[in-house]
Amino acid sequence: MNLPKTDTPLFNRLRFVLVETSRPGNIGAAARAIKNMGFSELVLVNPRFADAQQQEEAVAFASGANDVLASARIVGSIEEALIDCNYAAAVTARLREFSPPVISPRTLATRLNEEKTLRAAVVFGNERFGLPNEIVEKCNVLINIPANPDYSSLNLAQAIQVVAYEARMAGIGETLTLDTSIGFQGEAAGMSQIEGMYAHLEQALVAIDFLDADNPKKLMPRLKRLFSRTQLETEEVNILRGIAKQILAKCKK
């Protein structure tokens, strides 16, 4: 008995299916959207142009995702497109009276990530006519993107990008990996350095009569609260102390 694999990443279990796409540019843009989010499997069901992948417009709109575009499979039916899949989601803005359950892209992505045995396809229809009922009825769920109800029209690549993004976030989690080589990152100032800065700054504020030493009220606690939110670095503390030093020097003249 061959048991389904349960350790396959979501990126290798999700297929994007375009049905009867009219414009080669939309196919290229779809390839770009898919690759942006780390996916690669694209299937075209009866595109208007048999050589859609080679069309100049498709290549231009792919904008570097030419590997995804070139490796896209062209098939003659939705049945062929869904071979090896055990789950299918139809994306449509038009809700049907008799349709599979309606869920959001985020709910879909969460389900696909949690249920490791699912080998899924997300199916998108023609730019003008969407998906016919007979294809929608073959799918397990209907995906409706909760866009602005007063203007909910998304183009094909936008809809693909939304679904692919949600799937990516489900696959990698909410942790944002930052490149620590980008931007200046100084050494965090020590507590004693910061306390010395506060004392120096207080002297300068007294010298210019901004702070009444006999009636300080809550000025210094408020300034400390302000600076505590900034995660001061050593160089920044030195700059502030330099400003305080100059103020005191001016006041002595």
Side-chain angles (χ1 to χ4, degrees):
M1 179 179 179
N2 293 322
L3 295 175
K5 292 183 179 180
T6 59
D7 59 348
T8 306
L10 177 56
F11 296 98
N12 298 330
R13 292 188 285 110
L14 185 57
R15 174 182 305 172
F16 292 82
V17 177
L18 310 187
V19 178
E20 298 181 356
T21 312
S22 298
R23 295 194 58 181
N26 285 333
I27 295 174
R32 179 179 183 178
I34 292 167
K35 186 170 183 177
N36 280 159
M37 295 298 116
F39 298 92
S40 60
E41 190 172 0
L42 179 62
V43 177
L44 311 175
V45 180
N46 292 324
R48 179 181 177 187
F49 295 93
D51 61 344
Q53 295 151 284
Q54 287 78 45
Q55 292 276 330
E56 183 177 347
E57 186 182 76
V59 174
F61 277 71
S63 188
N66 303 87
D67 53 340
V68 175
L69 179 64
S71 63
R73 291 190 293 115
I74 296 180
V75 298
S77 68
I78 189 65
E79 288 77 13
E80 290 179 79
L82 298 181
I83 285 177
D84 298 331
C85 290
N86 57 10
Y87 193 85
V91 180
T92 178
R94 180 165 58 91
L95 301 180
R96 325 292 169 103
E97 182 178 1
F98 299 101
S99 76
V102 180
I103 63 174
S104 70
R106 187 163 300 175
T107 300
L108 170 72
T110 300
R111 181 176 299 174
L112 297 183
N113 187 58
E114 292 176 349
E115 299 183 32
K116 308 297 185 184
T117 60
L118 293 181
R119 180 74 173 88
V122 184
V123 185
F124 299 82
N126 174 272
E127 298 94 328
R128 290 185 60 193
F129 307 111
L131 287 169
N133 288 335
E134 55 267 26
I135 289 182
V136 171
E137 291 166 2
K138 293 180 184 295
C139 296
N140 301 90
V141 292
L142 193 66
I143 304 301
N144 185 253
I145 298 172
N148 176 8
D150 295 327
Y151 188 65
S152 59
S153 175
L154 297 176
N155 67 36
L156 181 58
Q158 287 174 327
I160 292 170
Q161 190 82 71
V162 169
V163 175
Y165 169 79
E166 292 292 351
R168 177 173 183 80
M169 293 308 295
I172 66 173
E174 293 291 337
T175 302
L176 179 62
T177 302
L178 298 176
D179 186 344
T180 56
S181 67
I182 297 175
F184 175 78
Q185 295 184 354
E187 178 185 357
M191 297 302 296
S192 60
Q193 292 175 306
I194 295 174
E195 287 302 317
M197 178 204 76
Y198 287 143
H200 208 167
L201 185 58
E202 183 174 3
Q203 293 174 27
L205 294 175
V206 170
I208 61 174
D209 295 325
F210 190 84
L211 173 64
D212 184 351
D214 296 324
N215 187 26
K217 296 184 180 179
K218 298 191 178 200
L219 178 60
M220 288 310 299
R222 287 186 180 278
L223 287 176
K224 289 180 180 181
R225 184 168 178 265
L226 183 156
F227 285 117
S228 70
R229 297 197 298 267
T230 65
Q231 296 181 323
L232 286 165
E233 297 173 357
T234 299
E235 186 64 26
E236 293 166 341
V237 166
N238 291 338
I239 290 170
L240 289 169
R241 294 200 69 164
I243 293 171
K245 182 179 179 181
Q246 284 294 99
I247 290 173
L248 291 169
K250 295 285 185 181
C251 290
K252 289 179 179 178
K253 291 182 179 180

